[in-house]
Each structure stands twice: as structure tokens, then as C-alpha cells.
Amino acid sequence: MATRNRTEVTEFVLLGLSSWPEMQPVIFGIVFSMYLVALMGNALLVIVALSDPKLQTPMYFLLSQLSFIDMFLTTITVPQMLVHTLSANRTISFNCCMIQLFFFMAVGSMEGHLLAAMAYDRYVAICDPLRYSAIISHHLCLRITVTSWVVVSLNSLLYSVLVTRLTFCDNQVTHFFCDITPLLKLSCTRPVVNEMLIFTEGVAVVVSPFFFILGSYARIGVAIVRMHSVSALRKALSTCSSHILVVLLLYGSVIRMYLQPSSSYDLDQDRQVAIFYTVVTPMLNPLIYSLRNQEVKGALRRLFKKLPISGSFQPGSQVNRRCQHVS
């Protein structure tokens, strides 16, 4: 459907990941499996971080917030995409599309701010360990989290309002959710204001946490080079490696999706990067933090030991009870 007036566009058609009908069940099975793993992994990490007494530190508070963000981010886009994969009707109303755009941009930006806060936490822990407790506190982390939510929400609201004022010439969105770049492609005129905001205000809000992370790790790198203790060096590298990997996964996708000239933008490649950003990365994050973190693995073992079912399947438990009964 083509239109020459924005007011005539009451809904958009999301074309999804692929137009091949035979690929839809395969896509559904793969994405649904990854979505369940992402939800369960991040939910488990949140439960462990908030319930285990040994993890009641500012770092693990931030980690629990990151896991919550990952669950929120993938839930904004994936369930709708799964429904559209097996349905002939792939429409989304104009208002729902703008709401999805707002939450996706806010939550996606929030992830970068949390990673910046975690980088600052690691910087203080390595470069100024004696004053760590005086500088980093739960109250500070809570203030950072609330302030970041306010900033990213206002930024996302600005973008959403500007998109609603565009004049659309088509309603066929070459994507599986309402993202800003595919929507800008549907504009009848070049959205100069929106593009300027992406490369100015958008860079300030979205990319500035990345530069803050780079600065923090530059200072950490200097501190690591000066360490003469092999055990201290190994501990510092182990502490930062998981965070660095998550940062690379996030900002590699963000830079590829948004921070490139519109002339070089490829919608098909963007969909591939988007599925990595919205499904694969949230699935990998809890695995990265749990497999490489001894404290998290210890907390998981303690959690599973508390489960009622764990005691009933201990080897020899039933034999011991029978022997006690006979005696």
C-alpha cells in the first residue's frame, strides 16, 4: 500500500526476517529457542544477584539491572516477531509501532549506560581499591540507574515524536520490528532533522557511554601494566574480561546498525545485525558472566542446593533412609 499523506498511514506491515515461506518454521524454532534461553538465563542471574548474601555488592546490583534490561529488550521485539513468522497478518498499528520504537530505543540506550557504570565500578576496584567502599555504594548505583533512565527516556521520546511528524509514502517496513532507520526510509522527503539528531544528540546519549568505557579501561590498562604481582594481574584481567566481551558485542552491533551514512545503509544486513543484537547478545550475556565468574558460579550452586528437589536426588540418600528404617 502506498500513500502520500502521513495521516492516511494507520498501520505498518513488518516484512520480518525472510519472505520465503519455507523458512518461517525454521526461523520460528531457532529464535524461539534462543528467546527462552535468554529469558531463563537472565532471570536466573537476577534471582541469584538479588538473593545471594555474598552478591549484595554494587557490582552485582548493576549486573542484575543489566540482566533485567536484556529481558526487557528481547521481549519488546521477539514475541511479536514470532507471531508474525507463523501468521499471514504482519500488521502493527501506527500507535503501537511508535510505542515499540520508544521502548526499544530507551532500553537499548540504557544498556550502554549500565555498562559504563560497571566500567567505572571496575576502574575504582582496580585503581583505587582502598577507597572502593567509600566511593562506590548501592545508593550511588541507584542514582546512576535512575538518572540514566530519565536521560534515555527523554532521548527516546524526542526521536519518537519526530518520527510521528514524518510524511510516509509507504507502510512496508523492511524489518521485524519498528526501528528508527527503516521508518526513516519510508519518509517521502529526506528526514534531515532526524538524521542530524542521530549524528549529534544521538551520539552524545548513545555513544558517550562507550567513550567513557574506553577511558576507564585506558586507566585500568595503565594500572595493570604497573602491577608487579602475577596473581593481582591475573585477578584484574579475570575481573574485566567478561565486561569487555559484553561491551564489544553491544557496541559492535550498535555502530553497525545506526552510526553509518544513510547512503551505505543495507536493510537486509541491518535485519541480520538486529537479530544478533536483540536475541543472541541477551542470550550470551548471562553465559559470559556466569561461566567466567567464580562468585556467580558459587551462588548458582548454593541456589540449586536450596531447591527442595536437590536433596531427594542425592546419591545414596534413599539407601541411607532404608537402612535407618531397618535398624
Side-chain angles (χ1 to χ4, degrees):
M1 182 185 81
T3 181
R4 292 295 172 181
N5 193 320
R6 179 184 65 84
T7 57
E8 295 178 9
V9 177
T10 59
E11 62 183 20
F12 292 100
V13 179
L14 300 174
L15 300 183
L17 284 175
S18 174
S19 58
W20 296 355
E22 60 272 16
M23 288 296 297
Q24 303 309 316
V26 177
I27 293 174
F28 179 89
I30 294 175
V31 175
F32 182 67
S33 300
M34 291 192 295
Y35 176 60
L36 287 182
V37 173
L39 282 185
M40 291 187 294
N42 284 288
L44 186 60
L45 204 55
V46 170
I47 293 171
V48 168
L50 296 181
S51 63
D52 193 280
K54 294 186 178 181
L55 299 186
Q56 300 303 306
T57 63
M59 177 62 183
Y60 289 106
F61 168 78
L62 294 174
L63 181 58
S64 68
Q65 297 302 304
L66 181 65
S67 294
F68 172 76
I69 288 295
D70 281 337
M71 288 191 293
F72 197 178
L73 180 68
T74 191
T75 302
I76 291 171
T77 58
V78 174
Q80 173 191 260
M81 188 263 282
L82 292 174
V83 172
H84 286 177
T85 300
L86 300 181
S87 173
N89 182 11
R90 298 185 176 185
T91 61
I92 180 173
S93 69
F94 185 90
N95 291 334
C96 288
C97 183
M98 295 302 107
I99 292 172
Q100 185 182 53
L101 174 66
F102 168 80
F103 280 110
F104 176 77
M105 295 192 65
V107 174
S109 301
M110 184 63 190
E111 188 165 9
H113 286 251
L114 281 176
L115 290 174
M118 294 170 73
Y120 179 67
D121 176 273
R122 294 300 85 199
Y123 160 73
V124 176
I126 294 173
C127 299
D128 199 0
L130 297 179
R131 298 180 61 236
Y132 177 83
S133 299
I135 298 174
I136 305 296
S137 64
H138 281 89
H139 181 64
L140 175 64
C141 292
L142 184 60
R143 283 194 301 170
I144 291 174
T145 302
V146 173
T147 302
S148 298
W149 269 118
V150 173
V151 171
V152 300
S153 296
L154 292 176
N155 175 69
S156 182
L157 180 63
L158 174 62
Y159 277 102
S160 302
V161 170
L162 288 175
V163 170
T164 62
R165 298 174 66 84
L166 293 176
T167 302
F168 295 103
C169 289
D170 194 3
N171 73 337
Q172 305 280 325
V173 182
T174 311
H175 217 305
F176 59 90
F177 67 95
C178 291
D179 197 8
I180 186 165
T181 309
L183 290 173
L184 294 182
K185 287 287 184 180
L186 300 180
S187 176
C188 295
T189 58
R190 183 178 178 182
V192 179
V193 176
N194 301 69
E195 291 180 352
M196 289 179 59
L197 278 174
I198 290 176
F199 287 99
T200 54
E201 189 266 351
V203 169
V205 174
V206 177
V207 184
S208 57
F210 179 63
F211 289 117
F212 182 85
I213 294 170
L214 291 180
S216 298
Y217 275 108
R219 298 290 299 274
I220 291 174
V222 173
I224 290 177
V225 170
R226 294 176 179 174
M227 290 181 179
H228 301 290
S229 171
V230 177
S231 60
L233 176 62
R234 187 180 296 111
K235 182 178 180 181
L237 293 175
S238 176
T239 301
C240 299
S241 58
S242 298
H243 183 261
I244 292 174
L245 184 55
V246 172
V247 169
L248 292 176
L249 288 174
L250 172 66
Y251 279 99
S253 302
V254 169
I255 293 173
R256 177 64 186 84
M257 287 174 63
Y258 301 109
L259 301 180
Q260 60 175 324
S262 58
S263 58
S264 61
Y265 183 79
D266 190 312
L267 289 172
D268 291 328
Q269 291 183 6
D270 178 68
R271 284 186 288 183
Q272 299 171 11
V273 177
I275 199 67
F276 184 86
Y277 173 57
T278 58
V279 184
V280 179
T281 300
M283 180 187 67
L284 293 178
N285 284 353
L287 296 176
I288 293 171
Y289 277 108
S290 60
L291 294 178
R292 299 186 60 85
N293 190 307
Q294 296 299 324
E295 292 180 334
V296 173
K297 287 195 288 187
L300 287 172
R301 285 192 293 267
R302 290 190 293 272
L303 177 64
F304 289 134
K305 286 181 181 179
K306 293 179 182 179
L307 297 177
I309 194 174
S310 61
S312 61
F313 289 98
Q314 292 179 356
S317 60
Q318 295 183 359
V319 175
N320 292 335
R321 284 195 293 269
R322 289 176 182 175
C323 291
Q324 291 174 2
H325 178 72
V326 171
S327 63

